[in-house]
Amino acid sequence: MIGVFDSGLGGLSVLAALADVLPRADFIYYADTAHVPYGEKDDLFIQRRVLAIGNELVADGCTLLVVACNTATAAAVQALRDAHPGVAVVGVEPGIKPAAANSITRKIGVLVTPSTARSGRLQRLIADHAQGVEVRVESCPDWATRVESLNLDDPELIADVRHRITTLLTWGADRIVLGCTHYSFLAPVMLPLIAGKASLIEGADAVARQTQRLAGCSAQGSGRLILKASAYPERLRAALPALGLEHLAARLAPPG
Ligand code: DGL
């Protein structure tokens, strides 16, 4: 059993990539909807939540944990690894490395939550992997909360996304890193703006490959999915079609 978690719906973008490469694996997806957004909380709070969720998923029988949240990875992946030395833990990080390696203009933009923006882990990633490429970090308060409300057509949200993308393009970025798993669901707004000028870098495929490498016998199951949430668990199933992930519903274990 593989446990995948996020503050809310964002990690479903990672779960979709995991389900593609591990069709027989059994998954529990946990959304911490009682505490979303993490991006506006302090590190200690996020660490407490990550440890509590990790304990619950391990008690449920998970032998591999995927932190499908950049903010939780930056704040708490080490604490989670320390708490469960026998469990493989995969985190998700903004794709600075591939973006920098492939940038022609040598300028990349990174869209992240406020918490990730101020994290030492992001600063280290940039220092270790930017290789002289200029990095502009955009903290995007509210985006995760708005994705969470599934109001993806909200004109205010669309205007803000357009404004930030246009700013990055005008500055010269040719790679735009989505440093929050919720932002994958805003890609349909971004793609027409960046067409021919820049590409989006998402972390989900890299996480899926790394999880596949570590999965071992966790890859073998009956392809089931259990959805759990700290508040409004029924919203998770209902969100799948709105997020273009209806195909995941076929994996859901029958209730009871
Ligand atoms: N989805 C999370 C991430 O990847 C954070 C969203 C939030 O709760 O602020 O950073």
Side-chain angles (χ1 to χ4, degrees), residues 3-228:
V4 183
F5 67 94
D6 179 36
S7 57
L9 302 174
L12 289 170
S13 58
V14 176
L15 177 68
L18 291 166
D20 275 353
V21 299
L22 293 164
R24 302 300 311 153
D26 292 326
F27 292 98
I28 299 180
Y29 182 85
Y30 187 102
D32 196 8
T33 33
H35 303 101
V36 67
Y38 282 177
E40 330 273 326
K41 310 269 192 318
D42 64 47
D43 283 8
L44 204 64
F45 180 90
I46 298 169
Q47 278 169 18
R48 277 205 297 267
R49 288 307 306 152
V50 165
L51 291 176
I53 296 166
N55 287 344
E56 180 167 336
L57 291 172
V58 169
D60 283 343
C62 293
T63 47
L64 198 163
L65 297 176
V66 178
V67 187
C69 175
N70 293 260
T71 307
T73 300
V77 75
Q78 196 50 54
L80 185 63
R81 289 193 171 118
D82 292 346
H84 299 283
V87 172
V89 176
V90 179
V92 56
E93 289 184 322
I96 307 284
K97 192 176 180 179
N102 295 307
S103 172
I104 310 290
T105 61
R106 303 194 55 76
K107 288 184 174 191
I108 66 174
V110 188
L111 302 169
V112 290
T113 64
S115 169
T116 301
R118 58 172 187 265
S119 69
R121 205 174 163 99
L122 180 64
Q123 301 319 318
R124 275 197 301 282
L125 255 188
I126 294 172
D128 292 349
H129 298 300
Q131 306 164 43
V133 167
E134 279 184 75
V135 182
R136 183 163 166 163
V137 176
E138 289 278 325
S139 166
C140 308
D142 258 14
W143 283 14
T145 308
R146 287 166 183 265
V147 169
E148 208 59 29
S149 69
L150 290 178
N151 201 356
L152 299 174
D153 299 328
D154 174 10
E156 230 181 88
L157 172 63
I158 292 179
D160 192 24
V161 172
R162 286 199 174 129
H163 171 70
R164 284 173 193 274
I165 295 290
T166 309
T167 305
L168 289 173
L169 293 175
T170 308
W171 173 66
D174 68 347
R175 296 291 182 277
I176 296 177
V177 179
L178 300 187
C180 167
T181 52
H182 280 73
Y183 302 171
S184 295
F185 299 116
L186 298 173
V189 182
M190 299 176 186
L191 288 170
L193 292 171
I194 66 167
K197 300 180 194 126
S199 27
L200 288 187
I201 310 287
E202 298 185 57
D205 290 338
V207 171
R209 283 193 300 275
Q210 172 70 352
T211 307
Q212 197 178 23
R213 272 194 291 273
L214 295 176
C217 48
S218 309
Q220 302 309 324
S222 49
R224 271 186 328 144
L225 170 62
I226 296 168
L227 297 175
K228 293 181 89 172

